[in-house]
Amino acid sequence: MKQLLQSACLLLAGITFGWWLRDSGDKQLAGSIPAETSINQVSAPSPATVAGLPINVETDALQLPGSTTPPNAERFHQLLMQQKFDLALAYYEQALLIDDGYQQLLRPALEGYLQTCLEHCSHEAIIDLVNLWLGAYYQDIPVMLLLAESQRLQGSPEEAASTLQIAATYALQGGQQEEVRSAVQRLVKFTDEALSRQQSWIELLGFYEFLATIDLGTPTFQLRQAQLYQLVDEPQRSHELLVELRNNDNGLSSQWTAALDQQLAKSAIEPSADQLPSHAIPVTRHRDHFLVASSVNRGDQLNLIIDTGASITTLTRDSFSRVVHSGFEYRGSRLFNTANGLTQGEVYRVTSISVGETRIDDLDIAVLDYESSEGVDGLLGMNVLRNFRFEIDQDKELLYLRPRPGSDSQDGYQQSSRIK
């Protein structure tokens, strides 16, 4: 009996000691990555297997905090390549829960994937990933710059400029500010060269006017804008802008002063008779803005806010659901800069947009899911307004429109082709 009791005690002690060793080994493995070790020096297991067993990528991505397997850039890249963007974001966030230093390991995979996507992925895939990513990390400057490049390649320079304007707002460090400025310069250079080759002066002028509206204008951009006013036969606007530039000139650059003086000599002081507005369209005051009656494809009336800060004419989803969709061609989804930040919406090419007696043929509109005030159907953006010399008389509540040179007639204008 005594011998049997001793055997039972030894068996119990063995089991207890075995469990203690197991716990000790797990703790040692979990803490096997020293805090001072560089993330790039961590030796991670193959993304194909763990302990000889196949990985379920979706399950493994969501179990990082409790796993002894360190985060792996290849596994993160695999999720991106499979376009499982929600899981990739979850993998990234949970990696940072372990150690913020893992950002140095995973960020190159994200930026490398987006860079590759500019040439090899659909624009919708980029939009889906960037929209999800910026929803979590809205101040991510490198991702914004890649989004702007994608928008430029898609022939949407105003949307690219809007994205860069947001990036400029969040670029608080010197290096980031320089990156944004360089991106703006590249965008302007490319857009100017492309539209100049096409002699699309009205579209190019509208682009520079839009830059000024969203506070991305520079004196150099304004000088180019003044030159374009001359090209589209608006010498008075050219002269006024040049005088403003000359008054702000500090005289530190003789070359800049000479360029201003040379352009001023070409500008007129008084407007010619044919520069006066030809159409007077009633508008309605709406808080700090004005509403104007418009129509898409000559359909029912829509009340649109005149917004020079909107790159594209926009309808709310509710208003879009109430219009007849004949003549709408779906063009894809994009990200747009709104008062609430970046918002994903759909783009449609429409047959025409009419404002009063004027009509613009063959252009894009955006449909966004946002709430608007009662009686407001959307925004009349710069892709319409840039085709006119326009002015709002706030006292008389009238919008004056005169088609810029290049229109087929006073009641129609064929929009120039987009940048390819």
Side-chain angles (χ1 to χ4, degrees), residues 345-360:
E346 290 76 48
V347 176
Y348 294 85
R349 176 62 59 89
V350 299
T351 304
S352 66
I353 291 182
S354 299
V355 182
E357 300 177 18
T358 65
R359 190 186 76 247
I360 300 89

Side-chain angles (χ1 to χ4, degrees), residues 12-73:
L12 180 61
I15 293 173
T16 302
F17 185 70
W19 280 105
W20 179 82
L21 285 176
R22 176 177 170 177
D23 286 344
S24 176
D26 286 347
K27 291 177 181 177
Q28 183 177 2
L29 180 59
S32 60
I33 305 177
E36 65 273 10
T37 302
S38 168
I39 293 298
N40 293 323
Q41 296 173 344
V42 175
S43 177
S46 165
T49 61
V50 171
L53 298 176
I55 287 180
N56 181 325
V57 176
E58 297 188 13
T59 302
D60 188 62
L62 301 177
Q63 292 180 343
L64 268 175
S67 172
T68 58
T69 304
N72 183 284

